Structures are given as structure tokens and as C-alpha cells.
Amino acid sequence: MAPNAAVARVPLAVTVFMAVTTSMLLAPAEAGLYSDRDALLALRGGLQDPDGALRSWILEVNPCEWTQVTCDRVANRVTEITIGHANLSGPLSPELGKLDQLTKLWISYTNIQGTIPEELGNLENLNSMHLHNNSLSGQIPASLGKLKSLKQLHLQQNRLTGPIPSELDGMSEQTSVNLSSNDLCGPIPTDGPFKNINSSLADNPRLGGNC
């Protein structure tokens, strides 16, 4: 009976091993998704949303099922946020800087106010940042100059002030930068992305003068 019992135990051992291995492989992905969810809930929690544009953003629902959110289904991580023409007000949460797999951040045509969090400079995989046509104020964070993968930086039609950070000169010449229709001042940059004909600094009356 002992040999038969040993044979019977082999499949069970294999099953347990596979279950443990699978759990270990899934754990990091699940932890990453939970972190993404918490960052998005922090954004939602600071916003006024009278029309319920973000009504699907609730704890009980997988964030990959939320509207305005796109995930990489293989990695199980949030990769895109696309919010436009929504009646939202309030600040952008610094927690957005924890979305380390984010490639697209598009929040435009809202009434979001406050400053651009410097933590957005941590989004090293970001390809496009569209925060235009809002009511953002304050200075452009120098930390955005760290975004070496960025191809589009569109911050036009806000209330941004102060000089353009010299750190942005280090971005690729291929990066499209639109900072038009703000209240920027100080030197007009000519290096890096500001050589790009698709970049725009128009309608900043104080740009080129003292701040």
C-alpha cells in the first residue's frame, strides 16, 4: 500500500507546487494593479464630479473595467487615462506619479485647478501628456524634464505662470510641446523640443521679458 500511497501523493505535490508558483507570479501584478487603483481613487477623491463622469471609479470594481481607463491586460496594469469634456473641478493628485506603467495621461477640457504635481516627473514610461484646456495654475514643474519617453507635452489654454524650466530643453527635438495661451514669462527657449516646428509658445504676452 505504501508505494501506491506515494504514487498518489505525487500529483498532489505537483498541484500544490503549481498553485504556489502561480500565486507568486500573480502577486506582483496584483500588487501593481492595487497600487494603480489607489492612485486613481486618490485623484477621484479630490475632484468634484457633479455629473458622475467618474461614477465607475469605485473600490469594488477592477480599475481595468472603469471608463476613461485603459489597461495592459497581460501585465494587468493601468497604461492610459483619457478624460475629456467633463464637468470636473479640483486638483490633480500627486498620487498620479505612482502610475509607473502609464503611457498616456490625457485630462483636458475640464475645470481642474491647482498646480501640476511635480510627481508626474516620475512617469518614466509616459509618451503623451495632455493637460490642456483646463484651469491649471502655478509653474511648470522642472521634473517634467525627466520624461525622456515623452513625445507630446500639451499644456496650452491654462493659467500657468513663471519661466519655462530649462530642464525641458533636454527633451527630444521630436517632442511636440504646446505651452500656448498661458501667462509664462522669462527667456524664450530655443533648444531641444523648442526647435520642433510643431511646438508652440504663442499667446504668452510676457514671454521674453522679465518675470
Side-chain angles (χ1 to χ4, degrees):
M1 296 295 294
N4 290 336
V7 172
R9 282 197 298 270
V10 171
L12 178 59
V14 172
T15 300
V16 171
F17 173 78
M18 292 179 63
V20 171
T21 302
T22 301
S23 177
M24 292 175 64
L25 291 173
L26 291 177
E30 290 180 353
L33 186 60
Y34 293 152
S35 176
D36 293 349
R37 178 200 63 192
D38 292 345
L40 293 174
L41 287 177
L43 171 64
R44 183 182 185 275
L47 297 177
Q48 310 250 338
D49 181 16
D51 297 337
L54 306 180
R55 66 174 63 91
S56 66
W57 292 29
I58 57 176
L59 183 65
E60 296 78 11
V61 176
N62 185 320
C64 296
E65 305 300 328
W66 296 353
T67 57
Q68 294 97 15
V69 174
T70 301
C71 287
D72 180 331
R73 292 291 184 170
V74 176
N76 209 28
R77 298 295 304 276
V78 173
T79 56
E80 297 184 6
I81 302 171
T82 308
I83 301 172
H85 298 279
N87 185 17
L88 298 172
S89 59
L92 292 173
S93 171
E95 296 295 303
L96 289 174
K98 295 181 178 179
L99 297 170
D100 57 15
Q101 298 303 305
L102 199 67
T103 60
K104 178 179 179 180
L105 176 61
W106 191 310
I107 303 177
S108 60
Y109 295 98
T110 75
N111 193 36
I112 286 178
Q113 305 110 358
T115 59
I116 299 173
E118 63 179 24
E119 289 82 358
L120 297 188
N122 297 330
L123 301 175
E124 59 183 18
N125 291 304
L126 200 66
N127 292 324
S128 61
M129 179 185 295
H130 288 253
L131 299 177
H132 56 85
N133 294 84
N134 294 303
S135 296
L136 295 169
S137 58
Q139 297 191 12
I140 299 170
S143 61
L144 299 188
K146 298 189 299 181
L147 301 177
K148 302 307 181 184
S149 298
L150 203 63
K151 300 302 181 188
Q152 296 177 325
L153 175 62
H154 289 191
L155 306 177
Q156 69 270 23
Q157 296 284 347
N158 278 291
R159 300 172 183 173
L160 300 173
T161 58
I164 298 172
S166 59
E167 287 80 0
L168 298 190
D169 291 355
M171 289 182 173
S172 167
E173 293 184 14
Q174 304 306 313
T175 302
S176 169
V177 176
N178 192 336
L179 306 179
S180 62
S181 300
N182 281 288
D183 190 25
L184 301 173
C185 57
I188 299 175
T190 56
D191 293 328
F194 301 101
K195 296 179 180 178
N196 189 332
I197 61 172
N198 292 321
S199 295
S200 177
L201 302 174
D203 296 322
N204 283 282
R206 297 197 298 143
L207 197 59
N210 295 327
C211 289

